[in-house]
Amino acid sequence: MCTICYTSELGAEPSSQLSCGHVFHTNCVVNLLKHRWSTLRITFAFMSCPNCKKEIESKDNLSTPIAAELAPLVNLKKDVEEQALVHARDQGILGEERLADENDFYHGKPQEYANHRCSFYQCFECKKPYFGGLIDCE
């Protein structure tokens, strides 16, 4: 069974294997990518394997429909991550203790910390991401 839709066996419809080894219906993965994030805030967890959470990468040997849906999302993620680092630097959060604390999850990971603290939203007209401020609560 496809663990995204649970409606039919994998052999009943065209299926694709991700680099992590998990197999899903191709259309289920495409629909997962089309639905994007589930809240107003842009997040990218939906671009990961539903089973193991390994990121679906464009360099994987993906089927054409999945690769076509993933390509603009990879560009959007790159844009948001670049903006997150700029805003994190401007807001002064890259000097926070969490990045220096060896016991903290974000130790030495400025990009991940910037992604975590900076919120981005998508303009409903032009569809471009914009900075919505810092997330202060943990």
Side-chain angles (χ1 to χ4, degrees):
M1 296 295 281
C2 173
T3 56
I4 296 175
C5 68
Y6 292 102
T7 58
S8 63
E9 293 182 16
L10 291 170
E13 297 178 36
S15 299
S16 296
Q17 183 176 19
L18 304 180
S19 64
C20 59
H22 292 110
V23 179
F24 306 97
H25 293 136
T26 300
N27 284 336
C28 290
V29 176
V30 168
N31 286 331
L32 185 72
L33 296 173
K34 280 183 179 180
H35 283 92
R36 299 180 173 210
W37 46 90
S38 59
T39 63
L40 293 176
R41 180 180 176 215
I42 296 174
T43 58
F44 297 101
F46 71 95
M47 292 173 58
S48 301
C49 171
N51 287 357
C52 68
K53 306 305 180 208
K54 182 182 180 297
E55 186 173 334
I56 302 170
E57 299 176 350
S58 56
K59 65 183 175 184
D60 292 349
N61 190 19
L62 297 173
S63 66
T64 303
I66 295 173
E69 196 64 40
L70 186 63
L73 294 170
V74 169
N75 291 334
L76 175 66
K77 182 178 180 187
K78 182 181 175 187
D79 185 26
V80 167
E81 287 182 342
E82 288 173 359
Q83 288 187 49
L85 271 179
V86 169
H87 288 288
R89 218 174 274 118
D90 291 348
Q91 299 288 322
I93 64 169
L94 293 182
E96 289 184 0
E97 185 179 316
R98 292 192 72 178
L99 291 167
D101 182 357
E102 292 180 10
N103 297 316
D104 195 286
F105 175 79
Y106 292 108
H107 172 69
K109 301 177 186 175
Q111 181 68 69
E112 288 87 345
Y113 190 59
N115 296 348
H116 170 72
R117 290 289 310 277
C118 296
S119 60
F120 285 86
Y121 301 90
Q122 189 175 39
C123 177
F124 76 97
E125 287 182 3
C126 70
K127 306 298 184 204
K128 291 183 181 179
Y130 65 90
F131 179 61
L134 293 178
I135 296 172
D136 293 328
C137 58
E138 295 279 307

